[in-house]
Amino acid sequence: MRKINKIALISPKRKIWSSNSKIKKVFESRNAYLKAHFSPNLSLITVAGLIPNDIEIDYIDEDFEEIDFDKKYDFVGVSSMTQQAYRSYQIASEFKKRGVFCIIGGIHASVMPGEALRYFDTVFVGESELTMQ
């Protein structure tokens, strides 16, 4: 069995308001009090806390930084809501081209595990912080 040394936990880029230009325009121009809410992916942070200290973890929130697909990882874990699903699949495809094992969790993968399994090697259904132990 190969020792795991380095992993990436990734929160894919998401649309702030909507991909529908009419909806986006209303939110952006007519409501000065409504602001986009950015917070870290708490599921990924919880999972990171469960990983042994001798494993190096890169937490990547794609809303704030780009993914370096050429960086060497033993595996990549992605958490995805439905609005991030297509981007999640693109991320997995890029890493799999490089021979990296890819795992997905999150609400979309829990609801559509068969779809997610077409792109990822492993799919966590339900709370990954419980199922990974």
Side-chain angles (χ1 to χ4, degrees):
M1 180 178 263
R2 193 173 100 198
K3 180 170 176 1
I4 295 171
N5 295 307
K6 185 169 181 124
I7 64 173
L9 298 177
I10 300 174
S11 179
K13 189 156 189 65
R14 59 194 163 130
K15 304 284 186 206
I16 294 174
W17 299 114
S18 173
S19 58
N20 181 303
S21 61
K22 292 179 183 178
I23 293 172
K24 186 176 178 179
K25 184 177 179 180
V26 168
F27 279 124
E28 288 179 342
S29 66
R30 297 208 178 150
N31 194 336
Y33 302 104
L34 186 61
K35 303 290 183 202
H37 177 72
F38 287 107
S39 63
N41 184 308
L42 296 179
S43 296
L44 288 177
I45 291 171
T46 302
V47 167
L50 296 171
I51 293 172
N53 291 335
D54 63 334
I55 297 173
E56 185 179 341
I57 303 167
D58 285 348
Y59 173 83
I60 303 166
D61 186 332
E62 202 178 20
D63 285 329
F64 299 99
E65 65 183 300
E66 291 184 20
I67 299 169
D68 180 356
F69 290 102
D70 293 320
K71 201 164 186 179
K72 303 294 183 212
Y73 294 108
D74 296 305
F75 77 82
V76 169
V78 177
S79 180
S80 178
M81 294 183 288
T82 299
Q83 67 187 19
Q84 300 165 300
Y86 290 124
R87 180 61 186 147
S88 298
Y89 301 156
Q90 291 170 341
I91 291 167
S93 295
E94 284 300 315
F95 277 113
K96 286 177 73 101
K97 284 181 196 174
R98 293 158 173 82
V100 179
F101 192 86
C102 296
I103 299 169
I104 189 169
I107 188 64
H108 188 78
S110 292
V111 174
M112 304 288 290
E115 176 186 284
L117 200 52
R118 291 189 300 216
Y119 300 92
F120 285 84
D121 299 300
T122 297
V123 176
F124 280 108
V125 175
E127 302 293 331
S128 60
E129 52 265 39
L130 299 175
T131 58
M132 70 178 278
Q133 294 184 10

